[in-house]
Structure formats: structure tokens, C-alpha cells
Amino acid sequence: MRSLAVVVALGCFALAVLYWLGTLQFGTSHPGPHHLHAIVFGVIGILALVWLRFQSGASRA
Amino acid sequence: MLLAALQGVSELFPISSLGHTVLLPWLLRWPVDRSDPTFLAFVVALHFGTALALLVFYRREWLRIAAGLARSLVRGRIDDADARLGWLLVAGTVPLALAGVFLESPVRRLFGSPALVSAFLIVNALVMFAGERLKNAAALRAEKALALLSFREGASIGASQALALFPGISRSGASIVAGLLAGMTHDDAARFSFLLATPAIFAASVLEFPRLLAPAARGVLLESALGAILAGLTAYASVAFLTRYFHSNDLRPFGYYCLIFGAVCFTLAVMKVIA
């Protein structure tokens, strides 16, 4: 599960960068950078890191 | 100002605020242009007022949740009810955020048809009736406390809010029904729904906040501020009423209202009285 959390986090951060730069256009209504999509994926990436933190806390306990 | 009061009430009552703000201007023949920058700025202000009212109403709960979230992050584990509720709300907000960014634009195209919006209002009623019937069918099952909800159930309840992207489907109605189907009481399902609404409405209004600062919006700043205050007051009164109402009542009266209002509007739309 810890490796899954890392993969999800890295994947989300990569998607966030691609949307921010406007390279990725999937699910968008107009061409160009999509900051809202980038922010959402950035936040989900951070949440995946929080999930990783909880996995580490649980394994220590 | 009527639109502001309507937004404050209908955002939290399970009757679809979006459906009402689309249908009522058509019914009353108000010259509302939904793509006008001044109207969009006004709507952002109304959402901000509504979110602020929810935050004030549940202020003690949100303080406990924030402290619980911080504690769990420091300890690296979730070991108290406040932290658990906080992470349940996070789990419920993520699916809505994803649905919002990917589905809002395609769904927005449906706003132009009063018949379709009315039909969704009828669907909203049927969802509430079905939820109550299924809840009654499972009445012998032990009712699950909010603290015992799994993260998967929390995420499912949050995802159900995405149905409200369709104008006519109520966000609170969908999430209360999802809560009932997860085994919660009306009381807990409504509380979880209102807590879920706070970050969703706040995030929407914060992300759209630049619209309030646009040059075109300066002419309606006073109206927007008054609208936000009125929406906030009516939203506060609504959540105070609904939290008491759901102690001993269910969703069916709202279902009957949506069914009748939706059927009347659908008939008028089909007869081309509203278009």
C-alpha cells in the first residue's frame, strides 16, 4: 500500500504539472493551461503523501 | 435580492438551488443572462455568503475537526473521532472535486433547456422517495453512527454530490440519500451532508473569486455584498431549521415539492409557455 501511495502521489503531481503547462488537454473545454485541473491533482497528490504518512504511522504502531 | 434569499434557502434544502435559479427566472420572466460577468460575480458572492453561514453554524465542530486533522498528521495515525470525521470529509470531497473539474463544462450545456431541468427536478424527487423506501426496507439493520462510517462509504457519499452538477438534482438530497443507504440516521446523514457542503461551496467561491474583482463586476459590488449577507442569513436559518427537522422527519415532503414543481415546469416547458 505504501508503494501505491507513492505511485498515486507521483502520478498526480505529474498530471498537475502537465495541466498547469497546458500540455495535457484531457477533459478540458478549451485549449491552453488548466490551472484548476492542476490544483485539484496537486491537492490529491498531497493527500496521497498524507496517506503514505498514515501507512508509516500504522506500521510503527 | 429575491435570488439571494432563494440561493441561501435552496442551497441547503434538498430541492436543488441550481434548478431553482435556472427555472424561476424563466417562470417569472426575469431578464437574467447567466453568462453576464456581473451576474457571475453576483452568484460567486451568494455562494461565499452561504459557505460562510455554514462555517459559522458548525464553527465548534470545524475547530474540533481542524485540531483532529492536525493531531493525526503529527501522530501519523487517526485515533480520535474528530480526526476520523475530518478525513471522512476529505475522502468525500475528492470525488466531487474531480467530477467538478471534468464534468462541469459538458453538463453546463444542459442549462439551456427548461424541460430538461424540470425533468431532473422530478428525478430528484424520485431519488429521495427511493432513498426513503430503501431505508425503511432496511429498518431492522442497526443504524450506523457517523464515526463508524468507512472511508469508502465517505467517498461514495461525497461522490453522490456530483449528481448535483445536473441542474435539478439537489446536492444535499443526493448526499443525504447516500448517507441513509450507508446506514446512517437522517440526523447524521444531514449533518455529514452540510459539513461536506462547506468545503465544496467555499472552494467553488474562492476559485471563482477573481470574477468579483473583474472591472465589469465593480458596478454590482454593493448588490453582491448585500446579496452575500442575505444569502448567508437565509442559509444560516435554513441549516438551523433542517438540523432540527431531520431529528424526527424525513425527505418525503421535499420529494413531493420537487415532484409537483418539476411536473408543473415540465408541462409549461413542453407547452412552450416557458422557453
Side-chain angles (χ1 to χ4, degrees):
Chain A
M1 292 297 262
R2 290 167 72 171
S3 49
L4 178 63
V6 173
V7 169
V8 171
L10 290 177
C12 286
F13 288 136
L15 288 173
V17 171
L18 292 175
Y19 273 118
W20 190 272
L21 297 175
T23 314
L24 192 59
Q25 297 294 324
F26 174 75
T28 61
S29 55
H30 57 87
H34 292 278
H35 297 142
L36 187 57
H37 290 63
I39 290 168
V40 168
F41 277 107
V43 170
I44 296 174
I46 292 169
L47 289 175
L49 292 180
V50 171
W51 182 31
L52 177 68
R53 165 111 180 96
F54 287 150
Q55 306 276 326
S56 311
S59 63
R60 271 204 312 273
Chain B
M1 288 304 109
L2 192 60
L3 206 60
L6 177 72
Q7 158 67 23
V9 172
S10 58
E11 184 70 47
L12 301 169
F13 276 69
I15 55 171
S16 177
S17 62
L18 195 52
H20 279 73
T21 49
V22 170
L23 286 174
L24 273 186
W26 268 322
L27 274 175
L28 303 174
R29 299 189 190 284
W30 291 345
V32 171
D33 177 4
R34 299 186 66 84
S35 57
D36 188 301
T38 56
F39 180 73
L40 291 172
F42 185 66
V43 170
V44 171
L46 301 189
H47 280 130
F48 188 72
T50 307
L52 208 59
L54 277 171
L55 201 62
V56 170
F57 187 84
Y58 285 112
R59 59 192 177 280
R60 289 188 192 90
E61 209 144 345
W62 278 114
L63 283 174
R64 285 204 312 270
I65 289 168
L69 287 174
R71 262 197 316 274
S72 67
L73 281 174
V74 171
R75 291 176 187 163
R77 59 182 188 276
I78 303 167
D79 52 8
D80 63 75
D82 294 327
R84 188 170 172 74
L85 178 57
W87 289 113
L88 277 170
L89 291 169
V90 172
T93 303
V94 168
L96 180 66
L98 282 173
V101 295
F102 284 109
L103 299 179
E104 199 194 358
S105 290
V107 169
R108 200 172 275 274
R109 293 184 199 121
L110 304 174
F111 286 29
S113 162
L116 208 53
V117 177
S118 312
F120 277 127
L121 208 54
I122 296 170
V123 171
N124 188 48
L126 298 179
V127 167
M128 286 192 275
F129 289 138
E132 288 297 344
R133 181 162 282 236
L134 288 169
K135 171 78 179 165
N136 289 336
L140 292 177
R141 188 175 58 183
E143 283 182 330
K144 191 182 286 180
L146 183 48
L148 297 177
L149 209 63
S150 72
F151 285 105
R152 187 172 294 181
E153 287 169 328
S156 306
I157 295 170
S160 71
Q161 295 185 102
L163 289 172
L165 290 172
F166 295 96
I169 305 286
S170 160
R171 189 201 52 74
S172 58
S175 55
I176 291 173
V177 166
L180 293 178
L181 297 183
M184 293 161 82
T185 61
H186 286 87
D187 220 3
D188 273 349
R191 188 163 70 100
F192 192 57
S193 167
F194 296 146
L195 286 171
L196 269 175
T198 315
I201 304 172
F202 237 122
S205 54
V206 166
L207 289 170
E208 298 285 334
F209 196 75
R211 289 187 193 276
L212 266 178
L213 307 175
R218 282 187 198 139
V220 291
L221 266 184
L222 181 65
E223 288 87 343
S224 298
L226 289 174
I229 292 168
L230 190 59
L233 289 173
T234 50
Y236 191 94
S238 302
V239 71
F241 169 79
L242 287 170
T243 46
R244 282 188 192 181
Y245 173 86
F246 283 119
H247 277 312
S248 52
N249 295 287
D250 61 23
L251 287 164
R252 280 175 297 184
F254 306 110
Y256 288 120
Y257 166 76
C258 288
L259 189 64
I260 294 167
F261 186 57
V264 169
C265 290
F266 186 78
T267 310
L268 293 173
V270 169
M271 291 165 65
K272 308 273 186 207
V273 177
I274 53 172

